[in-house]
Amino acid sequence: MASAASESPEVEALDAPRVEDERDDLEGPEFEVEPLPPGAEGGVCLGSRTGAGPEAAAGERRSVAVRAQMWQLRGDLSHRDQQHREKDLLLQRTRGELHATRLRIDHLTGQQTEKPRAAAEREASHASALSHPSLLEGPAEDLQPVREELEAVRRSLLVQAAQQLSKEKEAWGKSERNRLLRVRRSTHLQKEHGLRHQKLVEDARKNHRVAVMFLKASLGRVQEQERQRERAAMEHVQRRMDAVLTLKHSITASRETLRKFQAWGQAKARQAAQRAQAEKQVIQARGGDAFKQLYHHRRRQELEAQKRAFEEEQTLRKHEIVSRLLKEEAEESRRRRPPSPPAEAPALPSLRAKTWEYLADLSEGRTPQAEEDDSSPLEHTRLIKSTSSESMQGDARTLRSPSWDHQTLAEPEIAGLWNTGYESQQGPKEDVDWKPVRGTKMEKDILARTMEQLRGGIIHKQVVSGREFKGCPFNSKPKLIHFKDFDIGKVYKKKMTLINATYTINYCKLEGVDEHLRDFVSILFDPPGPMSAGMSCEVLVTFKPMVEKDLEGHIWFLAQTGRFSVPLKCSIKKCSLSLDKELINFGSYVVGETASRVITLSNVGALGTGFRVQLASEPCELEMRPSVMQVSSVFTYDERSMWEKVLPADSEQRVGGPEPHLMERGGGPEPHLMEQDQTRSPESEDVVTILHMFSNEDQMEITLGEVTEGYIGPFSSIKVPVVFSPVTPGTVQSRFQVTFQNQQCPTLYFHVTGVAVDVPVWVPESIVDLKICMFDRLYQDTIQVHTRSKAALRLKFEVCKELRGHMELLPETGYIQALSSYSVQLKFLPRHSLPEDAGKYFDRESRILEAPLTIRVADQVKPVEFTVHATVTTSDLELCPLEVDFGYCTIYEAIRSQISICNLSLLPQEFGFVGVPKFMDIQPNDGFGTILPLETMDLDLIFQPTKAKQYNFELVCKSEINRCFKMTCRAVAVHPPLQLSHYQVKFAATALYDMSVASLYVINSHLSMNSLTHSVPRIGSEDTCPVGPTSFQFLLPPDSPITISPSVGTVLPGKRCLVQVAFRPVLSTEVIRQQAFQAQSKDRDVKAGRGHPESHRETANPRRDRRRLSMSLLHMHSREHLSPEHPAQDSAHPPKQQELKFSPEEYQAARATLARTFRGRFDRIVVPCVVASGDIQDQKGTEPLSFSPHNTLFLELWCPAVAPSIIVASDKGNTISNFGDVAVGHRVSKKVSIQNISSEDMSLDFSVLNPNGPFHLLNPMDMLPAGETQDLVLSFAPLESTLAQETLDIITKRGTLTLTLVGTGVASMITCSIAGDVLNMGYVIARESVSSTFKLQNNSSLPIQFSVRLASLSSSRQEELQRLPRFLTSRVHRTQIVGTQNHNGQSVFSVVPVAGILDPGATQDFTVTFSPDHESLYFSDRLQVLLFDKKVSQDMLLRGAAREHMMFVEGGDPLDVPVESLTTIPSSSLERREEPEELKPILVTLDYLQLDTDTPPPPATRELQVGCIRTTQLSAKKTVEFSLDSLAALQHKGFTIEPSKGSVERGQTRTLNISWVPPADFDPDHPLMTSALLQLRGDVKETYKVFFLAQVLAGP
């Protein structure tokens, strides 16, 4: 197309019309232009620009289908190119024809110019001819036709020439137009294709950018979500860890407290026991009853304690009554108009009258009224309402007495309804059982169905005035029969009234109660008969409880309109507890006063319970064991109060934070604590229980009175006093709980609050904190003193005498005005003698001063005290070391020495080094900064000399308070004879196992020893180095990734030497071994964990330690190449790790794992270069040069190592692809996944594998996008039995990844147990089967896949059946490979197994089964054993014969063809037995070989086999008998047969040997033929006619 577009200038100069106008002018099919298909366009794009495809589809993976389409498009492109070349050839041929046409036109034009000349010549010749005497002699009429003929010829020639010229011109014009049209068409199509391709590329790039943008956004969101989840998980784990630690500390503290209490309790118990024992011994010594006296003594103690408690309670009640009276009087005085009492209200005694009456009773010694009398009328009303007015309680005898019937007031609504003559129908009683006696389940079902049918017949709809009644037909009064607060053993009765609620007359019949209530409830009901609307009847319900639980159910009745029920409920006695208030507000009280309030606990239920009032934070312990009460009774009231004083810590701990994990709700420790404390004695447990019951009342401002626990009876109330005793000013709040012994009663809570007011004069801040102070520095503060007093007060300020030399208050005396404040100036100047002067007020370890100060107020006994806190510290800065020796330093380098500055003060201080010389530098921040308290800061002193000499100088550090600290420095500067062009080399980021190279020069600039003109090489102030060749040597550290070439050399004066430095980062062998050891340890732990979970748990911590060790090894490995100032330290491995051996696969897997997880590494390596005078080549042997250690140059190398851009993602990152053992001739493919772990797309190049080798790369790729993983398909096809190995390099711009390909070719070898290639199954009875086995053994070293095929089941069987039989085409091979087959369509031969895999060295048994379904002698098939479905390993012929009967004869010459006719119809055995006996022919040919020697020839011999087939059929005869007749005639003719008769057992054969010697009268020219009958007798009788054909043959 391009060649067609670039034509000659003639074509371009033509002004031809447009293509569309000339399309109709084209002639011939060869000039038609066909458009390219869409696939061809893509193919053109792919072929013209190979790299555009991956760039346009950067985010897509090339599948096999895409590559197949690409190859197809490339084929289409090649086809189009071929068409284009053919079109070019056609165009060239047309151009040649056009050129020839032009030449012909020119020729014709020339001929046209020559024609007039020729005509003139002809005319002249004609004229001359006419003028010839001979011609002119003729008549004129003879010349006229000649002239006319000549004129006609001339005209015809001119016409033909004109026509030919016009045709040539027309053809030339058409060819030119067609050519121009083709040129324009091709140009137009090319432009369209280019524009389309450009548009596709732009769209692809645009889509790629959009996809990348969305992908980045999605990845960002996913990463952010992952980070959030990780943070949440870490926070959750941290919270759980904190909670566990807190719980652990709490448990530890609680255990310590419990141990203390136990020890104290045990000590007290021992003391009490000793005291009791002593008293007992004393009493026994006196001769008294020790037990009785001790018992009386304890009883007296308990009575005294109860008496004291009663007296305190009486006193508390008196105080409460007085406070109430005072409060009532105050309220009455504030009232202006007292409210008038209600007119009809009953006259109740007022609270004042009741109080005075109570006091009068106490004063007279009378017993006051019960607590029920003190309760309010509202409580009495509640109690009265709670009692059922309809309940009737009493014993069974009272209820059943006849007096009950006389006392009832019920009357019938209809007279005569309740007459005695009426036969009553009563409901079921207690002794009546409605259950069927000895009834079966069927009888019960029949009874239920019968009752349903009866009810269905009884129930009718009630319709009155067109309205149908719906709802309950009878209303009960009451609606619910409720037996409340019942006792077991008593009988309760209640009456209820049933009222007819229907529209007209209705009936009511009792059905009974629910099944679960029949044992407890009985109903007494007399049916009233028909009841009008609104009429009622009564029902008596009797309840006799026998179990203590709530019961609910229904009483069922049957009315004319349907069934209805009345609910029944029985409730046991319960507690109903409440408090009269939930908040007690004491108001404001001055510190030191005491106030009391009372809260009432009421029980409106019928069941009493024990209660206890305590703080809400204290544990509940109500159920006291007898041992607890016995131990508590031993202690007196004074001892219990002492206990309360001894246990403040426990009470505070319980108030501050409850520990419900220590005690259960009902009391007692939890099970796990009980298990831990099983060794406790019972006495210690009792003491712990007592300790929980006591409260620390001395340390609490809001406490309870004496009534904190007890028993509250049914329908009663108890008052609990609460006491407020403020100790410190402020608001005090407490929360109390009331717990009950009955677990069903909920815990009640109430709050108590109060405000405490302080003394008149106070200091707002009781502690004045001066923070941290330095020695010999003045600190001042102002102290404010406030007063509430309404008068001026005189104040005196005092400082303890120990601190008067360091602290003072100014002024010492002053007056504070009423309701105002006063300021005092505090001055504190600590001296260095403060620790000795302060004494107990100063703590030397923490340096904290606590100075007590006192403000004494006139006329006030209690002074105001406050404390001054200060932490006194020093201002020293410590420099370490004080002397720094930099040693020898060249002028081309700088030496860094590290010093530390320590702040011994508790305050931060600013510091700075001043007067630093120019050749010194202090970093960071040029030696200025701020150091925190007790911090040690490291500073770097950098010494860089400018000339060779000795240096001695001082550095001065000043603090912010102008204190100076000095240090001394010294050094020796060296000017070496050689220098480096670069003292620092920074390598680019290099991937693992890649290489970076840098170049530098070693320069010898020492040309003169004149020190006056320039600086000369020397060490300090020593002599100058000589001028001459100077040698150098780079000393690399061991196991360094650096290579320097040359590392040793000599530089002449004024010359330089090029040195190349190579950096190749690798992973350390120790690190790889450590990773392999971790992998092995992990595998062992996993295996051990599956079998022994306990051992797995035990080894969890060692594995964590090994992981930490591994991380430390990696960290140390990343820093193993350091400068001489920071030498690398080899990590110490345990001996067991060093002695372990790893396989190459494990080593390679560990290396790949580390390479994949490699996060980068930066090493700073300093390589020393020693310098010596002289030439290295002049040294003899191995004698080294005298290198001076002071003239050493140092080359600093920055070596950043990064992770490789491409790694192997499959097979655990192993770069060795082992194909294993592969059979020769077979191909095995393996996928190797490579992943681009860099952030940019990588172009890939592959090294060339051996074209004739066994390894092949099937899918080379040219681009690997960032973050994606693609598979390389590698194949291994061994051609010989040998080990093969090759390497495949994947080359990128960032490095090279090397894959090692390894494989072994193995030849497959299999041996068969059958010798030969024929397996003869023998004779079988038709429709029976026989089996035979053979073995195949795999002698190769790899598993072999085998399959067995039969020729009769092959797909080419139908084609073979269409050919002629072999007995027609070949005389040698008469039989077919696949012979006779079964008529039923099944294969006559079968093999098991048909496929499988043979392991190396294994043996496989094959079973061949022969199952004929009819009689034939030509059953055959071919069995082939294929390896890997390709190679035929064994090929054997299967043969067999079948007979209908158990005998057979084998041998002789064939008389029939080995192919059965398709027209043969097999007959059954019965039909064959009915047919007459047939003689079966057998031909035996004997050839007697006549030799020409004197030795007589051997006789001609043949054999016949008579056999008996082994069968499973039942037969009368077990053997086959045979006999041969005409034996004498045969012998007369020279035949000898042995044996002539006999028998054959089943499964056996007998051989008939036939021999023949020609008789004397035998004629050799005429063969001898005779016959004999052979009879076989078995299950049937068979007769064979044996034909003997004998002849004499001449020998060679």
Side-chain angles (χ1 to χ4, degrees), residues 235 793 1015:
E235 293 176 358
L793 299 175
S1015 178

Side-chain angles (χ1 to χ4, degrees), residues 1489-1493 1593-1596:
L1489 187 60
Q1490 184 71 38
L1491 301 176
D1492 293 339
T1493 61
L1593 300 178

